[in-house]
Amino acid sequence: MTNSKSFSFEFFPPQTQEGANKLAAARKQLAVLKPAFFSVTFGAGGSTRERTLETVQQIQTDGYEAAPHLSCVGSTRENIRAILHTYKNMGIKRIVALRGDLPSGMATSGEFHYANELVSFIRVETGEHFHIEVAAYPEFHPQAKSPRDDLLNFKRKVMAGANSAITQYFYNADGYFRFVEECRKAGVTLPIVPGIMPIMKFSQLARFSDTCGAEIPRSIRKVLESYGDDIESIQAFGLDVVTQLCERLLAGGAPGLHFYTLNQSAPSLEIWKRLGI
Ligand SMILES: Cc1cc2nc3c(=O)[nH]c(=O)nc-3n(C[C@H](O)[C@H](O)[C@H](O)COP(=O)(O)OP(=O)(O)OC[C@H]3O[C@@H](n4cnc5c(N)ncnc54)[C@H](O)[C@@H]3O)c2cc1C
């Protein structure tokens, strides 16, 4: 299998020292695979934002490329400007630019309302310094007025200066290929890397999927449900399903894979091994 494709892993900033130690160990194991970058998510609150910066610093200190996520929610032009310059001075070259989601109880989204505004701002502030990744939704963003609208909004982010996209996770390869085809027809040519969510716990996955609008196909959901608390069977079936998905995506021309690791290395490592990358 060709290795010219881009493989990357996503982490969230740990809240405790124990979590940080576990993440450092996971990162070390995943680094052996020589990914293009490790990305780190970004929350709405001040303390979680500092933890994103800390995690990014640790990745860099270990000698790997870090890609911090940055979101509009709760942000002002001033603090985004400050963060961008901090990252630029640290030698960070890649940013994942997002709108973010409003946590319950938070009333305002901040000075930027949509990711395309953030992408434009990054370009105005820092020119071509950053490679900008944006989010894409093969099964459509849950708040989109229509699939057509969502595609046009995705195109706005691209026109604003995004270099590549990472998708929300999905388990239906056909939906991804259809989405990429629609993008190409609309003149959107940037690489669209599938986001891959390994299946570890059914209840957690079902909850996530309800919120972010990612569909678990009935043929997968019913089997997972039937295992109840039998975690071993859930994970074994999940590994088969996700490996097959990745195989189809890569064989069908996907430009790489981005793994939502949830700070665990084992599932991604196993999928990687089975793929023979
Ligand atoms: C790869 C990836 C990483 C993520 N990382 C994080 C993270 O670190 N932190 C976090 O909080 N969340 C993260 N998210 C979740 C993301 O923030 C949510 O899905 C959020 O609801 C949308 O973000 P977006 O950047 O896609 O928004 P946008 O592209 O702004 O789209 C949001 C919605 O608004 C519509 N829209 C977009 N632009 C316009 C416009 N100009 N006018 C009218 N409507 C418009 C779109 O159709 C869509 O329905 C991530 C998602 C992905 C796929």
Side-chain angles (χ1 to χ4, degrees), residues 67-72 84 94-100 114-120 122 131-137 157 162 164 166:
H69 296 205
L70 191 56
S71 84
C72 306
L84 287 174
R94 185 185 299 257
I95 279 187
V96 184
L98 303 142
R99 183 196 68 178
Y114 296 106
N116 67 295
E117 297 167 27
L118 178 60
V119 174
S120 298
I122 298 173
H131 177 110
I132 304 178
E133 304 271 357
V134 288
Y137 301 86
K157 297 193 276 198
S164 49
I166 301 171

Side-chain angles (χ1 to χ4, degrees), residues 41-42 69 98-101 114-115 137 141 144 150 153 157 260:
T41 61
F42 187 77
H69 296 205
L98 303 142
R99 183 196 68 178
D101 285 315
Y114 296 106
Y137 301 86
H141 186 267
D150 213 26
N153 288 329
K157 297 193 276 198
Y260 294 106

